[in-house]
Structures are given as structure tokens and as C-alpha cells.
Amino acid sequence: MGAMPVCVDRYGLGQRTAWFVLLLAVLVSPLKAQDVRIGHSNGPAQVGRVPHVGQAPNSPRPVTRAPTRNLNSHIGHSVFGQRPNAATTHVTRHNGSPTSPRLMPQKATAPPVEAPWWQTEILSPFMGLPQSPTLSFTEALQRATGQSPEIGLLQADVDQRRAELLGEQAAFDWSVFADSTFDRNNVPVGSSLDGANNRLRDRRWDLQTGFRNRNSSGGEFSIYQDFGFRRSNSRFLTPPTQGTGRITAEYTHPLLQRSGEQYNLGRSVMAGFRRDESAARLIAGTEDHLLRVAQAYWDLVFARGEAAITKHAWSRTSQIVEFMNRRRDVDVGRTQLLQAQSAEATRETDWTAARYDASRAQERLLRLIYGESYQQQSGVEVITTSIPSTSNMPSQTSTDDLDSHPRIVAAREAVQASTVDLNLSLSDLEPRLDLVLSAYSAGLRGQGKFIQASQDAWTDSEPGFGVGLNFEYPLGNRRAKAEVDRKHAQLHRLQKQFQVVVADVALNIRDRDIAVEKALALLSQSEKVLEIAKQELKQLETRRELLVDGSNIANLYLDTLLRSQERVSAAERRLLFAQVDLEVSLASRQHAHGQLRTRAVNSQESMGN
């Protein structure tokens, strides 16, 4: 047998181990007095496992063995950098199958979780731009409402529909008219009845002026004054130079087709429905745009938070590399150092990518808010002041009747307008039969005195009148019938579309309610995952700080520590995403109820007061 190797305790490992064992014995009693502790089963202690970032729950995962003793009382500055000051997470392992340990959800009300550290980092500029204006979520909604061209486009459609309504209502206004003609006839005489020699020369000037109006029953009334002047070389015209005056009143009333107020007011009523439809679509479009603004705002919050998390992860890895450089002559080999430097370079790359992602998210938000003035928003770093909180509970959303939802209102107004349009087409199936009434009084003076002739029409004349009927009916009337069939099909389509809109709105409301509940559940679980990951990292750093496993700590803990840091960063991103997802879900639920625009308007009014 060879000689026994002699171990030299160069670093005082035996003395440190003795002190550490004594310290552990002192800590055993406080650990047993905790409310929730690591239990024991009939079999060996089970080791909890934390999945890697993006790893499926059922996929194979590396097992990180942690000590069963709680070493969190040894809190100090680790040689690997300042550890996050996170609260201790208590885990209960229930007795059961030793091969399938599970974490049971705690139904008791948990104490409020302190605000994550990255919330203060989100409020700090990091892009190096000259200006850093602040922007809250409510301010973003208000500015988008007043400056977005998408909303202005919808408002222009409402203005157009309002003008169409005024135009239809103006169809019953009185109008004044004046028609004047002058004829100079010079034709050869072709008959002795012309009363002229060689050529018949005739000069005529007529002026007709008055008022006309169409009433709501479809009748057309006009009253007008005629002035006439005539000079001719015909010997049958006595006197040869004449002035005429005539006052005439005419009224035409439809008896079948296009008669009645229902038809003649129908276009005005239909224009009113279309105006209300466009107004409802304006509200719905505003809701859609504000939802996009809300999503862009919280995307920017997430991007800024992710940039802070990646920068923090890079800083932690840099501290590991700095520590390993100091121990190159002790227990750190070149392979371990290169591994740590590679991890540092990777996380620095992640930090660079996160900064650019935040810049892109900011540009999308500015475009949605400012529209035409977006190009002027350059050289700024928007500081989002609305920070999602872990204690944020969803506000109660009023459950109004679906009849007031803007999308349902728009669909209903479209159905009503189509119904009126169909009734107008049904009137065209009837034949046209109009009653025509007219009355007049005329005067005549010589020497072209038409003014005096007009006065005679009022004072020295006998009135005349006329009564008649106008009838017209297209054979087969195929065009009117085809138009009625088309309007029937259009109304049927709009009715089905209305049913689809009602069902979609109801589905969207239920889906958004479920999404809020899901976001709340994931938020609570993400907090637990982060606390467990922090506890694991803290234990590893404590063991490494106290040299529990000997002096050759680089080979033993480097890979495990890097993976633990990755799990902490992934848990931080998961919690940040859960916070942002809750805020987006709340905004989406308000949008589903049609109340996101109301929130912006109410906030603006409260600020104005």
C-alpha cells in the first residue's frame, strides 16, 4: 500500500467548518418555530425544482439540490454582488408520495407584497436623450382623444352625416325662383294667317318669378307672377305692342305613389338614423383606438421594466466575473472564467436589445397619440409614470344594458335605417296618380305697359282655374319590384349582422372578465415563483460566501449560480409581464363594456375642474 496523502489546510477550512456547524446548530430552533416550514415525509427529503426560462412544465429539467436548513439568517453582502432584498417565501410540502412532491396553494390571505425594485428603475431615464417628459396612462388616453388623426377621421364621417340630415330636412324649405326669356323671331311669311307681308317679325320677353314649396305630404305648391312684353308686325295682333301680367297658383298632390308623411319624411328619418350610426361608430372607433393606445402604453412600461431587469442581470454577472478574476490564482480555472465571461457578454447583449426594444415601443406609442405631429416628437425619452402594482385590484365595471353599447347601437341604427329605406321602396310599387289644381288671373295693356297689366290682374280681372289628374304606371313594374327585393335582402343581412354583433359583444365581455381573473391568478403565482427563485439564489450565495462546501467553490457553484440567476431574472420578467397583463386586461374589459372612452373623458373633466 502506498503512503497516505497528507492534506494541508491552507485556508483554515477545518476551523471555518467547525464554526459553521456550531452556527447551524444555533439556527435549528428558530427554523422549527416558523409558521410554514419544510416538512418531512416517510421517505427521503424531496428536492424542489425550478424550470428554466421558456421550458415546458413536463419537460426534463435539471435538479438543483438545496440544503434543508434555512440559511437566510446569514444575510450580508455576498462576494457575488448585492443580493435583492426579497421577503422570505414559506413553502409547505405535504406528506404523500415521495416521488411526486407538490406545492399546495395557500387559501389564506397573503400579506401585501412589497413593490418590485424595478418600478423605481422604470421612472429613471436610460436612453441618454436630451428630454425626458413624463406621461401617465390617463394623459396618454386624453392626448390620443384630442390629437389622433384616426379619431378625427371618424369625426369627419359624423359631420358628413349631420350635413346630410340637414340637407334632407331642408327639402321642405320655401324657395324663390325667377325665369326670364327673350325671343326675336324673324321668319318668312308662309300663310296669310300670319297677317304680315314678306316676313313676320315678332319680339317677346317673359319674366316669371315667385315662390314654391314641397310639403311633408308630398304636395308641391307654387305661386308666381308673369310679366310679358310683345311687339309684332302682324295685323292680327291688337294692339301691336302689348304688355301682359298674370298671377298663377298651382298645387300638385300625389294620391298613391310617394304620398303621405311616412314616405316624404322617410329620407329625413333615414338620414337621422345614419347620423346616429356614425356617432356610435365614432365612439366604438375611439374605444378601439384607445385600446391600442393602452396596449402600446403598457408595452412601453413592460419594455422599460425588462430593460431594467436585463441591466440588473448583467450587473450581477459582472460582479461574478470580477470576483472570479480576483480568485484566478486560488481555485478559478480558465474554463470557469471563460464561462462566466460568456454569460456576462450574453446578458450585456440582452441589455442592449432591451434598450432598443424600449425605444421601438415608445415610437409606437407616440405615433398612436400624436398622429400628424408625431415627427416633431424626436429626441425625447418618455418616462411612464403609471406603474403596475402587485396590489392592484380590478376596479368594478358597471354592467350596463347591452342596448347602450356603441357597437350594438351602430348595428341597430343601421337596421332601422334599412327598414325605412325598404318602406320607401314599397311605395314605388303603386301607380303614380297626382291631383293637379291651378288658378290664375291675367291682365293686358297696350304700348308694352306690363306693370299696369300686372296691377289689372289683381284689381280688374276675372280669375280662372283648372283641375286635372296625372296617371302613370310602368308595365310589369320590374324595376320597382327588383328594388324591393334588394332592400329586403339588405335588411335581412343587417338583421343577421345585428345578431352577430350582440353575440360578439357578449362574448367579448365574458372573455375579458375571464382574462382579468386569469391575470390576477397568474400575478399571484408569479409572485410566489419569484420569491422561491430569490430564496434559492440567496441560499446559494450564502453557501458560497461561507465556503460551506470547501475552498474549490468555482467548480462547484458557478454553473448552478448562473442558472439560478437566470431563473430569478425569468421570474422577474414573468412577474412584470403578469402586472402589465393585468393592466391590459383591465383596459380591455373597459373596452369590452364600452367605457374606456368614458374613463378618458371623466379624467379630463376632473382635471379641468
Side-chain angles (χ1 to χ4, degrees), residues 540-551:
L540 290 175
E541 290 177 341
T542 302
R543 292 182 67 88
R544 187 179 183 90
E545 178 184 358
L546 298 178
L547 302 178
V548 176
D549 299 285
S551 59

Side-chain angles (χ1 to χ4, degrees), residues 183-187 200-204 230-231:
D183 295 326
R184 183 179 183 275
N185 298 321
N186 192 339
V187 296
L200 176 63
R201 296 178 177 84
D202 187 54
R203 307 289 186 270
R204 292 186 179 184
R230 184 176 183 182
R231 176 182 292 176

Side-chain angles (χ1 to χ4, degrees), residues 348-380:
E348 182 180 7
T349 303
D350 294 340
W351 153 241
T352 302
R355 284 187 299 166
Y356 284 101
D357 290 341
S359 179
R360 295 176 61 189
Q362 173 181 301
E363 295 302 318
R364 289 192 295 268
L365 176 62
L366 293 177
R367 163 61 185 85
L368 291 173
I369 292 178
Y370 294 104
E372 295 181 357
S373 60
Y374 161 68
Q375 297 180 355
Q376 303 175 3
Q377 307 297 324
S378 59
V380 298

Side-chain angles (χ1 to χ4, degrees), residues 254-500:
L255 300 178
L256 293 178
Q257 186 184 107
R258 302 182 180 181
S259 65
E261 293 186 354
Q262 182 178 2
Y263 179 88
N264 291 276
L265 294 177
R267 295 189 179 278
S268 178
V269 174
M270 185 167 56
F273 285 141
R274 289 176 176 172
R275 179 204 58 184
D276 296 340
E277 177 188 358
S278 63
R281 294 193 183 279
L282 169 63
I283 298 176
T286 303
E287 290 279 338
D288 294 340
H289 185 72
L290 292 182
L291 178 61
R292 290 191 292 268
V293 172
Q295 293 172 341
Y297 184 89
W298 294 116
D299 285 346
L300 177 58
V301 172
F302 178 78
R304 294 182 62 84
E306 188 176 23
I309 292 174
T310 54
K311 182 179 180 180
H312 190 62
W314 173 39
S315 176
R316 283 189 301 222
T317 310
S318 299
Q319 293 175 2
I320 293 179
V321 174
E322 181 181 357
F323 170 77
M324 296 185 70
N325 279 324
R326 295 197 303 264
R327 297 183 63 90
R328 294 181 60 179
D329 298 334
V330 181
D331 57 353
V332 176
R334 178 173 177 79
T335 302
Q336 288 76 25
L337 182 60
L338 290 176
Q339 182 181 359
Q341 291 176 346
S342 176
E344 179 187 19
T346 300
R347 294 174 183 178
E348 182 180 7
T349 303
D350 294 340
W351 153 241
T352 302
R355 284 187 299 166
Y356 284 101
D357 290 341
S359 179
R360 295 176 61 189
Q362 173 181 301
E363 295 302 318
R364 289 192 295 268
L365 176 62
L366 293 177
R367 163 61 185 85
L368 291 173
I369 292 178
Y370 294 104
E372 295 181 357
S373 60
Y374 161 68
Q375 297 180 355
Q376 303 175 3
Q377 307 297 324
S378 59
V380 298
E381 178 182 358
V382 178
I383 305 299
T384 54
T385 58
S386 297
I387 304 299
S389 175
T390 55
S391 60
N392 187 12
M393 297 300 294
S395 58
Q396 296 295 331
T397 303
S398 60
T399 56
D400 297 335
D401 192 3
L402 291 181
D403 290 340
S404 61
H405 195 281
R407 286 178 175 78
I408 295 179
V409 171
R412 183 174 61 247
E413 298 297 327
V415 171
Q416 292 178 345
S418 180
T419 303
V420 175
D421 196 14
L422 175 60
N423 292 332
L424 298 181
S425 299
L426 291 175
S427 177
D428 293 335
L429 294 177
E430 299 177 348
R432 182 174 181 179
L433 180 63
D434 297 339
L435 173 65
V436 181
L437 302 174
S438 64
Y440 67 93
S441 178
L444 175 65
R445 285 291 185 98
Q447 299 179 357
K449 297 180 180 180
F450 57 87
I451 298 296
Q452 290 78 0
S454 299
Q455 294 175 352
D456 293 342
W458 288 94
T459 60
D460 186 14
S461 175
E462 295 182 2
F465 68 92
V467 179
L469 292 174
N470 293 332
F471 178 81
E472 181 182 2
Y473 184 73
L475 296 179
N477 206 9
R478 294 189 300 168
R479 183 173 183 176
K481 293 178 181 179
E483 188 69 11
V484 170
D485 292 340
R486 186 182 71 84
K487 298 295 178 59
H488 266 298
Q490 180 181 3
L491 177 60
H492 180 72
R493 182 181 65 85
L494 291 176
Q495 289 174 341
K496 295 300 181 182
Q497 183 178 352
F498 174 77
Q499 297 175 2
V500 171

